[in-house]
Amino acid sequence: MADVRSGLLLLEQDGGTYVPAAIWPLATSEVSHLAPAAEACLGERRARILRAQPGALVVVAYPIEVDGRMQGAVVLDLSERAEAALQLVLRQLHWGIGWLEVLFLRRSALHDAESLQRARTALDVLAIAAEHEALQPLAMAVVNDLASRFACARVSLGIDQRGRTRLLAMSHSAFFEKKSQFVAALENAMDEALDQRRSIAFPASAEGDSGIAVAHRDLAAGRAVCSVVLTSRGRGIGVLTFERNEATPFAADERRSFEALATLLAPLLESKIALHRWFAGRAVDRLRDFRRHLQDARRPGLRIGLAIAALFVAGTVLLDGEYRVGARAVVEGEVQRAAVAPFDGFVREAPVRAGFIVKQGQTLAVLDERDLLVERQRWLSEREQHLARYRDGLAKHERANANVALAQVREAEAQLALVEEKLSRATIVAPFDGVVVSGDLSQLLGSPVEQGKLLFEVAPLDAYRVILKVEDRDIRDVRVGQSGTLVLAGLAGEALDFAVRNVSMAEAEDGKNVFRVEAQLARSDLKLRPGMEGVGKISVGEQSYAWIWTHRLTDWLRMQAWTWLP
């Protein structure tokens, strides 16, 4: 075409992306000025003519569309001409693009033929698999047919068992050692594909990434390996692994064929696996048959017998009562705050002891602070000395001596702050209003105490919890949130309601294994003291009286039978 300055052919790639397939007159020619016309043509799906200004160049863009799908566009840079001449250019482009459309149609037909061939192959394999009822013969028939059909040295089939792939069948091998090194390597490769839920080939083909293939590389040993996952209802149920002796990688069309037959084979294989398992397969069928026989009007005797049995079972459990788990109980403070020695020292004062009622901020004990006062004075003196040396170093311009003196000043200040902190904590006070649960230093005045030693425990007067010590034979029935009733020895005439809040660990007590069950009282206005004991009963639920009266004996008999029987 005369007076064409440059041309550009855009073709679709990777679903919606258009890239230059050809540039005229040279592959390195600058054609960026053709981009606006190309974008307008592809966006509007029709031919476009763009002029920059009168007398300037004209850009003509014509779309390439096949079966309603945009395949690309042709863009030309022309000199200015009349409108009729531009329409002639568009007509020539329309007829000239025909061979490109034919090319796309041929490629589509070839792709459809390949898809049809893959479907035919998959249906043939599925027909072979459908001829067998049992799982093992089906697997052997499938792997043998695939090995001969695709000219593979070996084809293996593994199925998923609790997250691990187990080899089920291997082509041309009636038996194989399940614990051999080769079988372990093969199952690892199958696990690698199943974990990634994708097909894996080693060596990888040039068409694209094949995923992580470490186990496949170890299995290959100079051969080509390809694993395909069999997926049914979104769940991987097995893996097919193909091996050939040559190191030539499996092509992309071969992998697509493997994936097509895996898609059709997976549902059939899943049904066979279900039938192969007793509880997941045949037991379900037996229950379904029993239900059908029960609904059959020609079998009234079965329904009558079942009704009599149901009435008998209902009669044995007709009389129910409330089942409660009993346990010894003790009252504790809901919060027990510990007062510990803040530093090593000596007890100077201890005005309170266990059982005293204290207010928030009240003094519990005072530690001797004379040593701390001496130490504070020493550090104050050292700080003044170091400050004097620091000033002297600055006056004499001795930067090294000044820096050393400054560091010593900071060290003395840090030590002084530590001593001040200890002095502020020498007086131990009550953290809140409550009762002193433990601690008596009235007979230990002047005695030394170590840092961190427990001096007092304080519990509040208005917040309590109940600790029930439930035997291990009854703990199985106790759950968080259950309610119960508590009777204390000091309040024998009043039953207190509570709710189970936590079930703690077991501990040994009086030769028995008991669990600490924490409960919250429903009332907080009671005049209780930590340490009060009683008996609590947790309401577990409704049970038949026969079970309530005999379940401990039944449990004992079961335990004895387990102990003595071989």
Side-chain angles (χ1 to χ4, degrees):
M1 185 179 297
D3 297 330
V4 176
R5 301 298 182 88
S6 59
L8 172 65
L9 173 62
L10 294 174
L11 295 180
E12 184 188 29
Q13 186 180 27
D14 297 333
T17 303
Y18 297 91
V19 298
I23 300 175
W24 187 88
L26 297 175
T28 59
S29 300
E30 173 61 33
V31 292
S32 59
H33 61 286
L34 304 180
E39 292 176 359
C41 175
L42 293 172
E44 298 177 8
R45 304 173 69 93
R46 64 186 181 87
R48 290 300 307 272
I49 301 175
L50 298 182
R51 292 183 175 88
Q53 57 185 0
L57 298 180
V58 180
V59 180
V60 178
Y62 198 88
I64 304 174
E65 187 173 359
V66 178
D67 293 335
R69 178 179 177 182
M70 291 293 297
Q71 300 290 346
V74 176
V75 188
L76 299 179
D77 184 356
L78 307 174
S79 60
E80 178 66 26
R81 62 190 65 195
E83 188 67 25
L86 289 176
Q87 293 300 324
L88 179 61
V89 171
L90 292 177
R91 188 177 298 109
Q92 291 176 345
L93 286 174
H94 174 74
W95 292 110
I97 288 174
W99 71 274
L100 288 174
E101 297 177 350
V102 172
L103 179 62
F104 285 120
L105 290 174
R106 288 181 178 178
R107 187 172 65 177
S108 177
L110 180 61
H111 177 73
D112 293 340
E114 292 175 353
S115 299
L116 183 61
Q117 180 61 32
R118 287 195 295 269
R120 184 182 297 111
T121 301
L123 289 175
D124 291 342
V125 175
L126 186 63
I128 294 175
E131 295 176 358
H132 302 273
E133 294 183 358
L135 178 62
Q136 191 65 36
L138 180 150
M140 284 299 303
V142 169
V143 295
N144 288 333
D145 180 77
L146 292 177
S148 59
R149 186 182 298 271
F150 293 100
C152 294
R154 181 170 40 242
V155 177
S156 306
L157 173 61
I159 60 175
D160 179 43
Q161 293 184 357
R162 299 178 181 178
R164 294 294 305 274
T165 306
R166 292 291 178 260
L167 183 61
L168 179 62
M170 186 185 303
S171 62
H172 311 304
S173 298
F175 303 97
F176 53 88
E177 182 61 38
K178 296 182 179 180
K179 296 184 179 180
S180 64
Q181 185 176 359
F182 169 76
V183 172
L186 182 58
E187 290 178 346
N188 289 337
M190 291 179 174
D191 283 337
E192 191 174 62
L194 190 61
D195 291 341
Q196 299 180 62
R197 291 293 191 274
R198 62 182 300 177
S199 301
I200 297 179
F202 184 87
S205 60
E207 283 78 1
D209 181 25
S210 184
I212 301 174
V214 177
H216 285 73
R217 180 194 60 196
D218 297 338
L219 175 66
R223 296 170 298 171
V225 181
C226 180
S227 295
V228 179
V229 180
L230 288 83
T231 305
S232 178
R233 292 182 293 183
R235 184 177 64 89
I237 62 171
V239 179
L240 275 172
T241 300
F242 300 82
E243 301 174 68
R244 62 165 57 133
N245 291 329
E246 301 84 10
T248 304
F250 287 90
D253 57 344
E254 292 180 297
R255 291 175 56 181
R256 285 192 288 268
S257 298
F258 298 160
E259 292 169 354
L261 65 91
T263 301
L264 293 181
L265 185 61
L268 177 61
L269 184 63
E270 184 183 30
S271 64
K272 296 299 182 181
I273 293 174
L275 292 175
H276 184 69
R277 298 169 182 166
W278 173 255
F279 289 102
R282 285 174 286 179
V284 175
D285 293 338
R286 298 296 182 271
L287 292 175
R288 190 181 298 112
D289 294 340
F290 177 77
R291 179 183 177 183
R292 185 171 60 254
H293 295 329
L294 187 62
Q295 295 175 348
D296 192 351
R298 296 172 297 179
R299 297 186 178 184
L302 181 61
R303 293 196 295 273
I304 293 174
L306 186 61
I308 294 174
L311 290 175
F312 176 78
V313 173
T316 59
V317 295
L318 183 60
L319 298 176
D320 292 341
E322 184 181 13
Y323 173 47
R324 299 188 297 178
V325 174
R328 293 189 300 109
V330 60
V331 176
E332 293 181 356
E334 185 174 10
V335 178
Q336 290 193 175
R337 185 72 61 83
V340 299
F343 52 84
D344 296 340
F346 299 86
V347 179
R348 192 181 74 185
E349 297 178 14
V352 301
R353 57 181 180 270
F356 276 42
I357 304 297
V358 295
K359 298 293 184 180
Q360 183 178 4
Q362 182 177 341
T363 300
L364 301 179
V366 179
L367 300 182
D368 193 352
E369 55 190 19
R370 288 176 294 181
D371 292 342
L372 293 176
L373 293 174
V374 173
E375 187 177 1
R376 180 177 66 177
Q377 189 61 35
R378 180 172 67 86
W379 285 113
L380 284 172
S381 177
E382 288 191 13
R383 184 183 65 176
E384 294 302 325
Q385 293 176 7
H386 296 320
L387 279 173
R389 285 199 298 269
Y390 172 69
R391 296 189 188 100
D392 185 63
L394 290 179
K396 295 180 180 181
H397 301 287
E398 296 176 353
R399 299 182 61 86
N401 294 335
N403 290 336
V404 172
L406 180 60
Q408 293 174 340
V409 168
R410 292 174 178 173
E411 179 186 5
E413 290 177 347
Q415 294 293 341
L416 185 61
L418 178 61
V419 173
E420 294 289 348
E421 177 65 20
K422 289 183 178 180
L423 285 171
S424 65
R425 297 170 62 187
T427 301
I428 303 171
V429 299
F432 47 72
D433 297 345
V435 59
V436 179
V437 178
S438 65
D440 185 4
L441 301 179
S442 60
Q443 304 298 322
L444 299 175
L445 296 180
S447 62
V449 292
E450 298 177 353
Q451 182 179 1
K453 180 180 179 181
L454 179 63
L455 303 180
F456 300 94
E457 283 186 309
V458 182
L461 291 173
D462 56 350
Y464 298 95
R465 65 178 180 180
V466 178
I467 300 299
L468 298 104
K469 300 178 180 180
V470 181
E471 297 184 18
D472 56 355
R473 61 183 177 183
D474 296 324
I475 194 63
R476 63 184 180 184
D477 299 318
V478 179
R479 300 289 185 274
V480 175
Q482 293 175 340
S483 59
T485 305
L486 169 68
V487 175
L488 297 173
L491 297 173
E494 185 175 4
L496 308 178
D497 295 333
F498 64 84
V500 177
R501 189 168 62 180
N502 183 40
V503 179
S504 184
M505 302 301 294
E507 60 183 16
E509 183 174 325
D510 298 333
K512 298 181 181 179
N513 194 33
V514 296
F515 284 79
R516 289 174 55 89
V517 177
E518 181 180 339
Q520 180 68 45
L521 290 173
R523 295 173 57 186
S524 60
D525 58 342
L526 302 171
K527 295 182 179 180
L528 304 178
R529 284 294 185 94
M532 298 181 68
E533 294 185 350
V535 176
K537 293 187 177 182
I538 305 172
S539 299
V540 174
E542 296 289 331
Q543 292 287 351
S544 65
Y545 283 109
W547 185 90
I548 295 174
W549 294 331
T550 62
H551 77 279
R552 290 197 173 184
L553 175 62
T554 304
D555 293 343
W556 182 85
L557 291 175
R558 290 174 179 173
M559 196 65 188
Q560 295 302 315
W562 172 257
T563 303
W564 293 104
L565 290 179

